Amino acid sequence: MRLTICGSSPAWADPGGACSGYLVSEAGTNLLIDCGNGALAYARKVCSLLELSAVFLTHMHGDHTADLLCLAYALRHGWQRPEPLPVWGPKTMAATLRTLARGACADPNIFDEVFALHVYEATEGGRPAVVQPEHRLTIGALTLTMASVPHSISTVAVDVRADSGARFTLSADCGPNQTLPVLARDTRLLLCEATAADSDSDVHLSGAGAGEIATAANAQSLLLVHYTGELREHLLKQAAATFKGEIDAAYAGLQIEL
Ligand SMILES: [Zn+2]
Ligand SMILES: [Zn+2]
């Protein structure tokens, strides 16, 4: 499994960076998790828009979805696919996209035309151990498990596995919680958000909070994501105080073999 970081900035992009996007490539499957502003350009360095298998959205905030509009333009006018591109998201996805299209595009139905929209089910926050089949999703060569995490809108963390045994877990945007350590138990790599500068808030984690979750999950390694570049060293230092495994901070274009 190859993981490409297509964007690791928080709500606004660092110079030369992009907002949330994670491309997972495994046995011919290319899954883009989140599609924040600028992420598509980095994904296209790895696979063409015709080779993209699906998009998965952790939640509908703009820094995770803004490039969907540009992707829709591309699929309509430049890269016509034989079938609509599957896009998985929360229950609010269709209504949110329709509102976006009405405000930003002459055609309010553009998303319905180029995307096949699918809604996923997540485990309830705090009860991720009770995973039912509907909480799992198979997309090509990948199996995803979703669990609700606390954020300002409905959001899921996601655990991604391949038959080869390769695995990573993505926190999405979240405040402190007991759900993520269970979902990420013994994971090879935890991608954890570190948006908050000094201490956790209800909806975002600090570097220390990310380290605490990595420790509670017994993760092998921790990669900070969704952080602003100016805070990189500060957040890494915070995380090192609460997690004793390998720690690094992501940047757009980083590739990891798992
Ligand atoms: Zn968010
Ligand atoms: Zn975000």
Side-chain angles (χ1 to χ4, degrees), residues 25-138:
S25 304
E26 167 78 7
T29 297
N30 291 298
L31 171 66
L32 181 61
I33 300 179
D34 286 345
C35 194
N37 37 307
L40 209 52
Y42 284 93
R44 291 187 64 196
K45 291 185 175 190
V46 177
C47 74
S48 83
L49 297 182
L50 298 179
E51 294 168 324
L52 199 55
S53 308
V55 176
F56 178 95
L57 304 172
T58 59
H59 64 303
M60 296 307 295
H61 275 158
D63 54 314
H64 300 253
T65 60
D67 260 5
L68 284 177
L69 185 60
C70 301
L71 177 56
Y73 290 153
L75 296 182
R76 174 183 269 182
H77 303 295
W79 298 83
Q80 280 92 358
R81 300 166 58 101
E83 301 289 337
L85 177 67
V87 178
W88 290 86
K91 287 177 184 148
T92 53
M93 173 174 59
T96 305
L97 292 181
R98 237 166 255 136
T99 302
L100 175 64
R102 265 198 300 273
C105 179
D107 181 357
N109 298 314
I110 186 169
F111 289 118
D112 299 294
E113 191 181 302
V114 299
F115 296 156
L117 301 180
H118 302 283
V119 174
Y120 54 67
E121 298 287 336
T123 63
E124 295 292 319
R127 289 189 284 132
V130 188
V131 174
Q132 304 296 331
E134 61 266 28
H135 304 142
R136 287 214 175 99
L137 191 60
T138 301

Side-chain angles (χ1 to χ4, degrees), residues 9-11 19-20 34 59 61-64 151 172-173 193 195 204 226:
S9 295
C19 289
S20 293
D34 286 345
H59 64 303
H61 275 158
D63 54 314
H64 300 253
H151 190 42
D173 290 8
E193 76 125 280
T195 314
H204 285 298
H226 202 276

